[in-house]
Amino acid sequence: MKRSRAALLAGLAIGALFISGCSAADDSGSADGTLQFLGTDDPATYAPVIEAFEASHPDITVEYTQVPFDQYSSTLQQRLGAGDDTIDVYGVDQPNLSQLAAQGFLEDLSDLEDEAKAATSEGQYEINRYDGKMWALSVWNSTQLMFYNRDALTAAGIEAPTADPDARWTWEQVAEAGRAAQAAGTPYGLVLEQIEAYYQLQPLAESLGGGSGIVGDDMLTADIANDAWVQAMNWYGETFASGLAPRGVGGFQTAPIFSDGDAAFFVGGPWDVGRMAADADFDWGVAPMPYFEGGDAVTPTGSWSWGINTASKNKDAAREFIEFAAFDAAGALSTAEATTIIPANTDAEAEYLPGLEELGGEHAAGVADLISYEVENTAVSRPTSVGYVQFEAEMNKAFADIRNGADAAERLEQAASQIETAWTKL
């Protein structure tokens, strides 16, 4: 299945990780061969995979219901907690899998472990495991890339980076080059897409050896105030204090700063390749996500899996559906038909990525090989913990405060205390 430029551009409106909207819920039963599928994305996102599945499984119909992302977790908790059997399959935000499994809301899929291992990367296999069992199947994956403004760098007399992971820049190099670009007339040196999100900021601490921030045999001990975390967050806070990065712009609102030519560097996802191809009228390119000098190259990963509601009355059909999306290469590719998000299935990924590179043209040269490399070699998943939801919420608040001038060491200590308090209520 070829990835057309038109199809990928059409997916820009729904290609980011978190997309909201609403639709009316359908409370009809699903024991008659009709599957009820719940997720956060626009129905157009899943139309291709549903159509492909129904064509190969004519006795099963899939009805999709969308819940806005910011309401999704609470909706799941309410409906699954009440034993709602009108949900058969639902999207699982991967860091939340442990909590959902611990609550008994996910069907055990451990008998599919061998197929799951063969179908995806090690990280995307492991992210679905909790307490020695497997609870969901990965459908999408992600990574981060550094986009650069070649025109801005040339004006500053700086040679642009390349897509070669062996020539990966350090964060220190990026900051220095960004400031030089500012001196040459570019308003900002560096912008990140998810500026207050653990997903994008975890690699800063991980690069310096600070770990994920959660430790312990039960993964319920906060470790975010160690030297590496403090060093990483001091650096991050300084990018805003110095004016290298802009304050006052929210998460997923920074891409236009780069596409308008007002930043030298932008760290975002593969979904931004299409955005830049459509919107940027300057010479841009793609390079690996940086790392700290003397540290390790670390990139974020993960996205969404699909799981089966333990209260479902149509589990056999539900398994057919999620196996089609995760294990069948054509089925997995159809999950990305209307998006610019990477399929988790490695065979589907290999077919998908050249189309993404084609979409970006000469500006995205080498991006397919780069993404494949990062997924296999530098990807670090968010921690597996039944307390991840509370952890992420407190961390994101801390990032916002550090961005706005809070002392990193003090704020991380405070966040650790708040996380531990929240975990006592589990």
Side-chain angles (χ1 to χ4, degrees):
M1 194 182 302
K2 283 273 197 175
R3 315 293 308 136
S4 72
R5 179 184 177 91
L8 284 169
L9 282 172
L12 283 175
I14 50 177
L17 285 178
F18 310 121
I19 306 163
S20 64
C22 60
S23 64
D26 181 352
D27 290 331
S28 61
S30 57
D32 60 357
T34 298
L35 280 178
Q36 301 297 332
F37 174 32
L38 198 71
T40 65
D41 295 277
D42 188 285
T45 303
Y46 298 119
V49 66
I50 290 173
E51 180 180 353
F53 176 75
E54 290 178 341
S56 60
H57 298 76
D59 294 331
I60 304 173
T61 299
V62 180
E63 295 184 355
Y64 173 69
T65 299
Q66 180 188 6
V67 176
F69 178 78
D70 58 0
Q71 300 173 24
Y72 189 65
S73 181
S74 60
T75 298
L76 282 181
Q77 289 296 317
Q78 181 180 20
R79 294 183 62 178
L80 298 177
D84 188 343
D85 62 9
T86 65
I87 301 172
D88 298 305
V89 173
Y90 63 95
V92 178
D93 195 3
Q94 289 174 344
N96 299 343
L97 178 137
S98 298
Q99 188 173 92
L100 291 166
Q103 291 174 297
F105 296 159
L106 285 167
E107 188 76 2
D108 183 0
L109 302 177
S110 298
D111 60 305
L112 299 176
E113 284 189 335
D114 289 344
E115 290 175 86
K117 275 187 177 181
T120 191
S121 66
E122 181 68 17
Q124 279 295 294
Y125 162 71
E126 288 291 343
I127 198 66
N128 296 310
R129 289 176 51 79
Y130 165 72
D131 198 27
K133 297 179 181 180
M134 191 177 74
W135 303 96
L137 301 180
S138 293
V139 175
W140 288 336
N141 198 4
S142 69
T143 189
Q144 291 283 283
L145 310 166
M146 183 173 73
F147 296 78
Y148 59 85
N149 181 332
R150 190 188 301 273
D151 290 346
L153 296 178
T154 299
I158 296 170
E159 184 176 352
T162 72
D164 182 0
D166 290 333
R168 186 186 308 268
W169 279 25
T170 65
W171 286 115
E172 290 88 350
Q173 284 178 284
V174 171
E176 182 179 1
R179 292 188 181 100
Q182 286 181 287
T186 300
Y188 299 107
L190 171 66
V191 290
L192 305 187
E193 185 165 47
Q194 300 180 50
I195 48 178
E196 295 170 359
Y198 178 83
Y199 166 84
Q200 192 166 61
L201 300 183
Q202 175 192 2
L204 299 181
E206 293 269 16
S207 177
L208 291 169
S212 71
I214 303 180
V215 297
D217 292 340
D218 59 358
M219 289 296 283
L220 285 174
T221 300
D223 183 27
I224 56 172
N226 61 58
D227 290 345
W229 265 97
V230 172
Q231 181 181 343
M233 289 300 100
N234 276 330
W235 179 89
Y236 185 63
E238 176 59 24
T239 66
F240 297 98
S242 67
L244 182 71
R247 287 176 173 155
V249 185
F252 282 109
Q253 297 175 7
T254 56
I257 296 175
F258 181 81
S259 63
D260 288 345
D262 291 336
F265 298 100
F266 169 73
V267 181
W271 48 87
D272 290 304
V273 171
R275 183 197 299 268
M276 302 311 164
D279 296 343
D281 60 2
F282 54 87
D283 190 5
W284 58 275
V286 181
M289 185 173 179
Y291 70 108
F292 282 112
E293 183 177 347
D296 297 323
V298 176
T299 54
T301 191
S303 185
W304 288 82
S305 298
W306 290 357
I308 299 173
N309 178 14
T310 49
S312 168
K313 296 179 180 177
N314 208 1
K315 292 177 184 176
D316 289 344
R319 285 171 68 99
E320 290 282 343
F321 184 44
I322 66 172
E323 287 181 44
F324 176 77
F327 298 157
D328 184 295
L333 193 59
S334 68
T335 68
E337 180 80 16
T339 76
T340 45
I341 301 176
I342 311 166
N345 180 288
T346 51
D347 290 338
E349 176 196 281
E351 187 170 347
Y352 171 84
L353 289 178
L356 183 66
E357 185 167 322
E358 181 183 352
L359 177 64
E362 62 181 7
H363 301 291
V367 74
D369 287 343
L370 173 58
I371 290 173
S372 294
Y373 179 89
E374 303 289 50
V375 168
E376 291 296 328
N377 295 280
T378 64
V380 173
S381 299
R382 286 162 285 183
T384 301
S385 169
V386 295
Y388 180 82
V389 174
Q390 295 81 3
F391 171 80
E392 182 185 55
E394 294 298 338
M395 290 301 296
N396 292 353
K397 293 175 189 175
F399 296 142
D401 290 342
I402 292 168
R403 178 190 177 206
N404 288 312
D407 179 81
E410 293 178 2
R411 188 61 183 88
L412 290 172
E413 286 279 5
Q414 181 185 46
S417 177
Q418 291 167 333
I419 290 165
E420 296 282 0
T421 298
W423 281 345
T424 64
K425 301 175 183 178
L426 290 178

